[in-house]
Amino acid sequence: MYQGLNRFLVASLPYLPKALVGLVARRYVAGETDAKALNVVRELNSRGFETTMDILGEHVESLEEASAVAEAYAGLYQDIARMGLRANISLKPSHLGLDIDLETCERNLYQVLNAAADTGNFLRIDMENSAHTDDTLTLYRRCLEHYPQVGPVLQAYLYRSRDDLAGLMSSPLNFRLCKGIYRESPEIAIQDRAAINDNYLALLRQAFEGNAYVAIATHDLSLIAWAEELIGELNIPPSRFEFQVLYGVPMEGKLEALLAADYKVRIYVPFGETWYDYSLRRLKENPNLAGYVLRNLLRR
Ligand code: FDA
């Protein structure tokens, strides 16, 4: 029943007033401007959280726009340093021009990486849908040759992630492990939720046994508990991992409990003018997210 409701809600969203969608999106997006998002980061830092900032946007089609995005990210590293915030940056390759061509994206990535290097900061390269996986991992490997503080994302729903992880671990690796948010075909991606969790834990074990640093990105409280069990079983020190969640997702006090256990918790803080289009696209790609939004609306 939930799935039908979710699909209905997604279909209705474009017809709802933008302000109404904004009421819901506000919880998940840290404002339209750098200044607002930096304030949110400062507040999260004061509560003990690390952060990663993302300027909303993807699938840029013009060279000018892609280069403006790179400039904006470079400026953001300077702002973070100037304000002394505990924040790094996450970005989507298609926001830097990957849909135009690999070289454009690579050029723009180097501009962002130079700013990361100038300020001694880290860059996370988000993973988009499977059409981009090979190119994104190629770009990551090239970036790593220039600057060590860069890391990719692997998606537990993809069958290929096991081999990708094995290959990436031939160099020092700091990666984010998530379930995966895009709709992918059964030929390449696990569809069953329990089986995705099993693969998530198998990848986590593989990463810990192989010496990678893992950003354990999930809101799934059971999965977090199983990850904690694995950390205990393998006796993994807190310097080898962190937990990550998206800004605004209700976590029932679990984040504070993780901080109290001396674990690092990083909150992904998206912001920017394109919050509306972004939210709609996200919801269309994954109608289940609409269910979260609906429950949120009902709670109000
Ligand atoms: P699951 O979907 O089982 O959700 C667990 C519970 O969390 C749900 O029952 C719900 O209550 C709540 N919840 C989850 N997402 C929510 C949301 N958006 N709003 C409100 N409540 C929500 N994916 C990808 O393909 N590439 C990437 O680069 C990233 N990057 C990334 C960074 C970070 C920090 C996180 C936390 C997630 C990502 N993801 C991602 C998304 C990820 O792949 C996955 O789709 C979502 O996190 C949802 O899966 P969960 O692991 O949270 O479990």
Side-chain angles (χ1 to χ4, degrees):
M1 186 191 83
Y2 264 140
Q3 294 221 323
L5 251 183
N6 292 346
R7 272 195 290 274
F8 171 75
L9 187 71
V10 167
S12 327
L13 277 171
Y15 307 103
L16 294 178
K18 193 172 170 181
L20 185 62
V21 180
L23 268 183
V24 181
R26 197 181 300 151
R27 177 181 183 120
Y28 302 107
V29 178
E32 292 197 4
T33 61
D34 299 23
K36 282 202 173 135
L38 288 161
N39 270 336
V40 168
V41 163
R42 199 204 320 258
E43 192 267 331
L44 291 169
N45 283 171
S46 74
R47 288 165 46 205
F49 296 110
E50 311 300 308
T51 56
T52 185
M53 299 182 75
D54 166 56
I55 304 176
L56 288 173
E58 56 196 333
H59 304 306
V60 159
E61 285 171 6
S62 86
L63 289 173
E64 293 71 26
E65 200 187 337
S67 131
V69 172
E71 231 165 82
Y73 272 119
L76 190 57
Y77 273 122
Q78 305 298 342
D79 289 340
I80 290 168
R82 188 174 37 77
M83 293 173 70
L85 298 173
R86 302 201 311 282
N88 62 37
I89 284 177
S90 293
L91 56 75
K92 294 189 170 38
S94 78
H95 202 191
L96 289 191
L98 185 56
D99 291 348
I100 302 170
D101 57 43
L102 192 94
E103 289 64 38
T104 300
C105 185
E106 185 174 2
R107 207 173 41 248
N108 287 326
L109 265 173
Y110 290 158
Q111 187 184 347
V112 177
L113 268 190
N114 285 341
D118 279 351
T119 54
N121 207 333
F122 179 88
L123 175 67
R124 174 77 59 206
I125 305 175
D126 284 350
M127 187 58 80
E128 297 174 270
N129 66 14
S130 59
H132 293 97
T133 311
D134 281 329
D135 281 348
T136 301
L137 293 180
T138 299
L139 286 167
Y140 158 69
R141 286 195 182 89
R142 291 186 189 168
C143 286
L144 190 64
E145 285 171 20
H146 289 259
Y147 183 62
Q149 290 213 64
V150 61
V153 174
L154 292 178
Q155 296 153 323
Y157 62 13
L158 289 188
Y159 292 112
R160 63 174 285 170
S161 289
R162 193 175 116 177
D163 290 340
D164 285 335
L165 177 55
L168 291 171
M169 283 196 296
S170 59
S171 305
L173 176 66
N174 173 335
F175 80 110
R176 175 192 298 145
L177 180 58
C178 65
K179 290 187 188 179
I181 200 160
Y182 303 91
R183 259 195 277 179
E184 300 288 0
S185 77
E187 283 77 45
I188 61 164
I190 307 168
Q191 308 290 320
D192 178 69
R193 295 173 67 83
I196 294 173
N197 278 356
D198 288 346
N199 199 41
Y200 192 110
L201 291 168
L203 290 164
L204 191 56
R205 180 181 286 274
Q206 184 185 352
F208 283 148
E209 289 176 348
N211 242 5
Y213 181 94
V214 197
I216 304 167
T218 179
H219 314 100
D220 183 334
L221 294 173
S222 308
L223 189 53
I224 293 176
W226 293 323
E228 286 183 276
E229 272 174 32
L230 186 63
I231 286 162
E233 178 198 322
L234 300 177
N235 204 13
I236 305 295
S239 58
R240 294 274 316 278
F241 62 89
E242 64 188 49
F243 290 94
Q244 292 193 349
V245 292
L246 300 177
Y247 177 67
V249 175
M251 291 295 292
E252 299 172 23
K254 184 62 190 174
L255 301 185
E256 288 72 16
L258 290 171
L259 285 180
D262 272 341
Y263 293 148
K264 193 183 270 187
V265 179
R266 190 178 302 277
I267 301 192
Y268 186 110
V269 179
F271 71 97
E273 286 167 10
T274 63
W275 63 266
Y276 179 75
D277 296 339
Y278 172 84
S279 308
L280 285 192
R281 265 205 300 273
R282 277 284 80 74
L283 290 167
K284 280 184 192 153
E285 271 158 5
N286 183 354
N288 289 338
L289 280 185
Y292 308 144
V293 172
L294 177 66
R295 285 197 285 281
N296 216 34
L297 262 179
L298 293 177
R299 266 205 293 271
R300 281 162 182 268

